[in-house]
Amino acid sequence: MTTRRPFAVRPLRPAGKPGGRGVLPAPLLTAALLAASLSACSPAASAPPVPPAPLSYVALGDSYASGLGAGSYSEQCGRSPLGLPGLLDAEDTVELAADGTCAGAVAAPGAAPSSVAGQISQLVKEGSLGPQTDLVTVSAGGNDAGFGQVAGTCAASPLESCRRLIEETTALVLPALARDLDALYGQLRRAAPEAAVVVTGYPHLFSPEFGTADGLSLPAQEAFNAGTDSLNAVLEEASAAHGFLWIPTTEGFGSHGLGAPEPWITGAGEPDGLHPNAEGYRSGYLPAVRDGADLAALQRERPAQ
């Protein structure tokens, strides 16, 4: 008969003993579990965010759009890098894709570059203006309203002649301009269906509070500025009808018209007279468009590329 050995109970190895195979000490076990939990819950390190692409920008319009008055002209159209298109292009939020502006351009139908409608057609044909366009600025109507002719009459003729011409322009020319603007803005919206379209108004050329300027009496200056207000009202109404953003400039040019100590308008006797100078575009037009249109917000809303 085989004698069984008594069952021997082996003593447990103390936990945490160096070299042992037992469980981790409680503090270390807790730390390990916590680290594993955090590792499982925390997302992988993400790549830095892609900065938004600059707005694809197209400039359209007349001499107030091309930068006439600022100097440093690049070609016959009076385009200047110191005008609004060049200033906006220097902003991080904007990249100028095409500049169709030209001094003398009208809102009425016609060929490029002397008609803004023609400018649109040409840039669409070239592929520079289309569904990819994010931002468009346009200035048109001053030549249709005979800005230069009215200023010349008010400077060289009796006050009554000045007032009569402004009244005739308001009664006869501006209604026709409103129809041309309606057609022009419709064409622009079809050409650039996704773009934010900014319509810039015309500034007051005179600051009558400082006295006579360039041969114009105070009443003549006030009459001319009132005519500018009538023109701007037509532009604003047409802009609203098409869902475009209206940017007035009269307030920004306040106390900086002709006759002021620091005018932002070129003199009537200069080749590029009765237009904003470089300071006028830089301190008048640029902040009005940049802040009024909130270009930074527009850029953030565009998909990253």
Side-chain angles (χ1 to χ4, degrees):
M1 180 175 178
T2 304
T3 304
R4 294 182 178 180
R5 295 181 180 179
F7 182 76
V9 180
R10 294 181 179 179
L12 294 175
R13 187 183 301 273
K17 185 176 180 179
R21 298 180 181 178
V23 296
L24 291 171
L28 293 178
L29 177 61
T30 302
L33 291 175
L34 180 59
S37 175
L38 291 175
S39 175
C41 295
S42 60
S46 58
V50 178
L55 299 168
S56 178
Y57 166 46
V58 172
L60 301 168
D62 54 23
S63 54
Y64 283 73
S66 70
L68 192 67
S72 302
Y73 307 118
S74 60
E75 53 184 85
Q76 293 181 349
C77 272
R79 294 175 188 162
S80 170
L82 305 177
L84 180 61
L87 293 173
L88 286 176
D89 188 42
E91 298 281 309
D92 293 336
T93 54
V94 173
E95 182 175 359
L96 183 63
D99 184 355
T101 62
C102 193
V106 296
S114 58
S115 166
V116 180
Q119 295 172 13
I120 295 172
S121 298
Q122 180 175 333
L123 294 181
V124 168
K125 184 177 180 179
E126 295 173 355
S128 303
L129 177 67
Q132 78 280 4
T133 304
D134 299 318
L135 174 69
V136 176
T137 59
V138 58
S139 169
N143 291 314
D144 303 78
F147 236 35
Q149 179 187 358
V150 173
T153 299
C154 290
S157 303
L159 177 60
E160 287 307 313
S161 298
C162 171
R163 287 175 171 167
R164 188 182 309 113
L165 180 57
I166 292 173
E167 291 171 359
E168 291 174 355
T169 300
T170 302
L172 301 176
V173 177
L174 294 189
L177 173 61
R179 293 189 292 270
D180 288 336
L181 287 172
D182 182 59
L184 174 67
Y185 291 169
Q187 177 193 8
L188 178 53
R189 176 48 74 207
R190 292 188 296 273
E194 303 299 324
V197 179
V198 174
V199 177
T200 56
Y202 294 93
H204 284 162
L205 299 184
F206 302 96
S207 293
E209 65 269 26
F210 295 103
T212 303
D214 278 31
L216 268 73
S217 65
L218 269 63
Q221 293 178 52
E222 292 169 348
F224 190 93
N225 285 348
T228 302
D229 291 336
S230 297
L231 170 61
N232 282 335
V234 173
L235 300 178
E236 181 178 9
E237 183 176 355
S239 302
H242 289 267
F244 295 168
L245 179 61
W246 165 250
I247 299 293
T249 59
T250 52
E251 183 176 348
F253 277 76
S255 300
H256 289 289
L258 290 174
E262 296 181 359
W264 292 353
I265 303 294
T266 54
E270 301 177 29
D272 52 7
L274 300 181
H275 287 83
N277 56 26
E279 188 63 35
Y281 288 112
R282 180 171 55 251
S283 299
Y285 270 79
L286 176 60
V289 172
R290 181 186 57 209
D291 301 337
D294 199 350
L295 299 183
L298 282 178
Q299 185 195 29
R300 289 194 298 268
E301 293 169 2
R302 307 308 298 171
Q305 297 181 354

